[in-house]
Amino acid sequence: MKVRIECTYKTAKGTNAAFRSEEMNASKGIVIAEDLERTERGKNLLFIDSYENTWNLKELKEFMKEVETEPHNITIYFDGGFNLETRRSGLGCAIYYEQNGKSLRLRRNALVQELNTNNEAEYAALHLGIRELDHLHVHDLPVRLVGDSQVVINQLNGEWPCLEEELSKWADRIEGKLSQMGLQPEYELISRKKNREADKLASQALKEIEITSTIETDTMS
């Protein structure tokens, strides 16, 4: 979770000034806030998350302690591909998250036949990733949703209108699932080169190579 710190900063000579930090990971924010309190330089400390919710230090520490045992700091990379000749779609998602002090990666793909376009496949791949979060019992957290589809990312973040009926249905389905799970999406558009892992999973699905795995990684993607 990302937060920024707001407080009244007091210098050694007693000069006060309003202080507002840049956005940072909540764990880093806690360390900085504790240092400000220890040196008695920071007064009226307040944390504000990306959705303008406010926390004091005690509340944020308790929340982070609870979150530690559940999947958090979640990023979903997704990609979908549609084969016009076979009328089949390959869906792929790679989910990076932290739990119990470990960095983990879940990979999942699927071969489906009921879709008609590449854009539908892209939406379906993202939906696949969100369903995996449901299986992990993830709820009430921010999530990064990352893909190389301009259509999906720009329609879901509201920059582009969703005029096609089938894509509108997919957008509604995804937004409904996110709302049901209490997830706060942050959409990010990346290049195909940076989305190679999800692209490979989608391509493997089209070749009928099924992938379902979870491993521990050294760092977050």
Side-chain angles (χ1 to χ4, degrees):
M1 184 170 72
K2 299 284 189 179
V3 298
R4 65 181 188 271
I5 300 172
E6 292 189 0
C7 69
T8 301
Y9 185 81
K10 184 178 180 180
T11 68
K13 294 184 178 181
T15 302
N16 293 328
F19 172 82
R20 181 175 180 176
S21 76
E22 62 184 4
E23 199 172 59
M24 66 189 78
N25 287 329
S27 55
K28 180 180 178 181
I30 289 172
V31 171
I32 292 173
E34 288 178 332
D35 185 69
L36 286 169
E37 284 199 339
R38 185 166 52 251
T39 59
E40 298 185 347
R41 296 291 178 84
K43 303 293 183 181
N44 306 316
L45 279 162
L46 193 66
F47 297 92
I48 304 174
D49 67 22
S50 303
Y51 299 90
E52 299 302 316
N53 300 311
T54 58
W55 318 68
N56 61 35
L57 180 57
K58 181 180 178 181
E59 290 170 340
L60 187 59
K61 289 174 71 174
E62 289 177 351
F63 175 76
M64 293 303 293
K65 186 176 181 180
E66 293 175 4
V67 164
E68 184 62 25
T69 60
E70 304 295 333
H72 58 282
N73 287 348
I74 299 164
T75 300
I76 299 178
Y77 292 86
F78 68 93
D79 197 26
F82 176 71
N83 187 311
L84 187 59
E85 293 182 4
T86 63
R87 310 295 297 180
R88 300 196 301 180
S89 300
L91 318 179
C93 64
I95 303 173
Y96 288 82
Y97 62 98
E98 296 179 8
Q99 186 175 14
N100 294 320
K102 297 179 180 179
S103 295
L104 302 167
R105 183 197 67 191
L106 183 157
R107 294 193 303 160
R108 176 87 161 84
N109 68 359
L111 179 65
V112 296
Q113 299 186 22
E114 63 269 21
L115 306 178
N116 296 304
T117 67
N118 193 73
N119 285 332
E120 284 186 70
E122 293 277 9
Y123 266 108
L126 175 54
H127 191 257
L128 175 68
I130 295 169
R131 291 201 334 257
E132 288 301 313
L133 294 190
D134 201 5
H135 296 156
L136 290 171
H137 305 293
V138 174
H139 57 86
D140 301 319
L141 287 174
V143 294
R144 289 176 65 225
L145 306 177
V146 184
D148 59 45
S149 169
Q150 292 190 51
V151 170
V152 172
I153 296 297
N154 289 330
Q155 286 181 347
L156 288 175
N157 68 18
E159 291 188 20
W160 290 5
C162 193
L163 303 177
E164 296 180 42
E165 182 179 358
E166 287 304 315
L167 299 189
S168 183
K169 289 179 181 178
W170 274 110
D172 290 344
R173 188 177 297 133
I174 286 170
E175 290 174 349
K177 190 68 174 175
L178 291 170
S179 177
Q180 175 195 346
M181 296 169 64
L183 301 179
Q184 302 124 34
E186 176 188 336
Y187 299 104
E188 183 177 340
L189 181 65
I190 59 174
S191 66
R192 292 191 65 184
K193 182 178 180 181
K194 291 183 178 180
N195 203 32
R196 284 179 295 187
E197 185 173 24
D199 175 73
K200 183 177 180 181
L201 288 165
S203 297
Q204 288 173 317
L206 285 170
K207 297 175 183 177
E208 300 185 10
I209 302 172
E210 183 179 345
I211 305 291
T212 302
S213 69
T214 301
I215 65 169
E216 185 175 350
T217 63
D218 293 333
T219 58
M220 291 285 288
S221 176

